[in-house]
Amino acid sequence: MRNYIDEFRDSEVIGKIVQSLQGYSGRRLKIMEVCGTHTMAISRYGLRSLLPPQIELISGPGCPVCVTPTSYIDSATELADNKNVVITTFGDMMRIPGSNSTLIHKKAQGSNVQMVYSPLNAVELARENPDKEVVFLSVGFETTTPVIALSVSKAKSEGITNYSVLTANKTMPEAIKTLSGDSELLIDGFLYPGHVSAIIGTDFFSYVAYNMEKAGVVAGFEPLDILYSIKVLVDNITNGNIVLENMYSRIVSKEGNIKAQQKMYEVFEPVDSVWRGIGMIPKSGLGIVKEYEIFDAAKKFDIKQKDTPEPKGCLCGEVLKGKKRPGDCKLFKKRCTPENPVGSCMVSSEGTCAAYYKYGG
């Protein structure tokens, strides 16, 4: 019996699309995916090997853990030294290296660091431990930010004042603008993230097509999703049809998830934000609005993040910009491995270096 997902892994249909792509003989095209799940899927299914050499897929800053700067990790590990604080976080953040330590090392040394599956778990922990300050490490794109916002509004409505979030949330639109205008990258088109698009809709990506002249496709995550989206993108670029196509309409709508957007901007507002490898991008982050500022861990604990350089020899920043591949880094598969990562791109399940390490480039 076929299940729903089989339709998107149909080898016969995929073979026809690959044959069509293999017939491309035009100029070299550079296509960037800006979603960590796409990065991992492309590597897992070996999709790069199915494309002709003129079509180059490069990975952008689509992994939220990876783009979080070292200075944020340092703030989190320092906060973990506070005996009155419980640090709660998603799993990937536990192993991201800071300047001197990681959260998993802090946990081993006795700090109260706990992995949670949802920020709502952290709110519950705060309710059960009123004598402790519970801090959730708020990292993610528009996909996870609404539920973080929900956790903050829930804590406020229930009077749970010993809960707070240390924010490093990012939004995709301003980063896309920055990448589109990079004269070194010269991107021809984008594979846009299905998860983020499900929240924010497709209007912004249409703006990039019409105003920044970069074609794009919102794509799903199965092999057929990705390959067909690449074919549509290549055809549009070749024909001078610089538009945005939504090839993930079973999930993504033009307007996105209005309720999720409303909840997100009830609690958060746009702020300037530092992206690992890219630097400061104006209005590309999210900070807590004044009404909810008692849940802002940076204010509660007077945290001032400092500029921190990348580890010596690590090219994670250049990989995130799409200017280097993991194999260009001298540390890759040598000093830097998933068991002993030097940079964040090797840690996260959505990291480009982790994908190349596990599945090859």
Side-chain angles (χ1 to χ4, degrees), residues 283-354:
K283 304 301 181 184
S284 67
L286 292 170
I288 294 181
V289 300
K290 187 173 181 59
E291 183 183 351
Y292 288 93
E293 66 181 1
I294 66 167
F295 300 98
D296 186 340
K299 291 183 178 178
K300 181 180 280 190
F301 298 98
D302 192 27
I303 296 171
K304 303 277 193 303
Q305 291 185 30
K306 306 166 188 174
D307 290 336
T308 309
E310 289 292 305
K312 188 175 180 180
C314 177
L315 295 185
C316 184
E318 293 298 295
V319 170
L320 287 167
K321 287 186 286 191
K323 294 183 178 180
K324 298 287 186 183
R325 291 182 182 272
D328 297 325
C329 181
K330 293 180 180 179
L331 306 182
F332 180 66
K333 287 189 174 181
K334 298 180 179 71
R335 208 180 116 212
C336 185
T337 66
E339 293 76 25
N340 186 34
V342 175
S344 58
C345 298
M346 185 59 89
V347 178
S348 173
S349 59
E350 297 185 339
T352 303
C353 294

Side-chain angles (χ1 to χ4, degrees), residues 135-152:
V135 178
F136 178 74
L137 302 186
S138 183
V139 172
F141 291 133
E142 293 93 338
T143 315
T144 54
T145 303
V147 73
I148 298 171
L150 178 63
S151 76
V152 173

Side-chain angles (χ1 to χ4, degrees), residues 193-195 198 218-221 225 229 245-253:
H195 295 146
V218 175
F221 303 99
D225 281 320
S229 294
E245 301 259 21
N246 180 9
M247 306 310 300
Y248 198 33
S249 58
R250 65 187 187 272
I251 298 294
V252 175
S253 64

Side-chain angles (χ1 to χ4, degrees), residues 200-215:
I200 70 172
T202 61
D203 280 348
F204 170 76
F205 302 130
S206 294
Y207 166 90
V208 174
Y210 294 119
N211 292 276
M212 306 194 78
E213 299 184 342
K214 301 293 181 185

Side-chain angles (χ1 to χ4, degrees), residues 38 41-42 47 191 219-230:
H38 279 152
I42 287 166
L47 301 188
L191 278 182
F221 303 99
E222 292 300 317
L224 184 53
D225 281 320
I226 297 170
L227 286 169
Y228 187 65
S229 294
I230 292 170

Side-chain angles (χ1 to χ4, degrees), residues 50-297:
L50 303 179
L51 302 177
Q54 302 99 309
I55 300 175
E56 180 184 5
L57 290 184
I58 58 174
S59 301
C63 161
V65 170
C66 302
V67 301
T68 303
T70 303
S71 57
Y72 178 89
I73 307 301
D74 288 345
S75 295
T77 54
E78 288 173 17
L79 189 57
D81 289 332
N82 187 325
K83 299 302 182 185
N84 194 47
V85 169
V86 180
I87 299 289
T88 57
T89 178
F90 295 139
D92 281 354
M93 290 295 294
M94 298 279 283
R95 297 177 57 245
I96 300 293
S99 298
N100 301 301
S101 188
T102 65
L103 287 167
I104 201 164
H105 286 148
K106 289 292 182 180
K107 181 178 178 67
Q109 292 166 2
S111 295
N112 197 339
V113 180
Q114 300 190 29
M115 187 184 78
V116 294
Y117 291 102
S118 165
L120 297 175
N121 298 145
V123 174
E124 184 64 28
L125 191 64
R127 180 190 292 108
E128 294 171 353
N129 297 272
D131 58 326
K132 295 287 186 180
E133 287 287 340
V134 176
V135 178
F136 178 74
L137 302 186
S138 183
V139 172
F141 291 133
E142 293 93 338
T143 315
T144 54
T145 303
V147 73
I148 298 171
L150 178 63
S151 76
V152 173
S153 65
K154 182 178 176 65
K156 183 180 180 183
S157 67
E158 296 183 13
I160 304 173
T161 57
N162 62 320
Y163 174 70
S164 60
V165 297
L166 185 62
T167 59
N169 298 83
K170 304 283 192 287
T171 55
M172 192 57 72
E174 296 306 317
I176 296 293
K177 284 185 186 178
T178 299
L179 294 167
S180 296
D182 192 314
S183 59
E184 293 181 16
L185 274 175
L186 297 176
I187 296 168
D188 293 292
F190 288 98
L191 278 182
Y192 287 123
H195 295 146
V196 167
S197 302
I199 302 298
I200 70 172
T202 61
D203 280 348
F204 170 76
F205 302 130
S206 294
Y207 166 90
V208 174
Y210 294 119
N211 292 276
M212 306 194 78
E213 299 184 342
K214 301 293 181 185
V217 176
V218 175
F221 303 99
E222 292 300 317
L224 184 53
D225 281 320
I226 297 170
L227 286 169
Y228 187 65
S229 294
I230 292 170
K231 181 185 180 329
V232 168
L233 189 52
V234 169
D235 288 346
N236 282 343
I237 295 170
T238 302
N239 296 325
N241 189 24
I242 308 305
V243 296
L244 181 280
E245 301 259 21
N246 180 9
M247 306 310 300
Y248 198 33
S249 58
R250 65 187 187 272
I251 298 294
V252 175
S253 64
K254 182 178 184 295
E255 66 277 4
N257 187 324
I258 301 297
K259 288 187 177 180
Q261 294 170 32
Q262 290 172 341
K263 177 56 67 174
M264 184 162 59
Y265 288 109
E266 173 193 331
V267 174
F268 294 101
E269 62 184 353
V271 296
D272 299 345
S273 187
V274 175
W275 294 56
R276 186 189 295 260
I278 301 176
M280 178 70 74
I281 303 179
K283 304 301 181 184
S284 67
L286 292 170
I288 294 181
V289 300
K290 187 173 181 59
E291 183 183 351
Y292 288 93
E293 66 181 1
I294 66 167
F295 300 98
D296 186 340

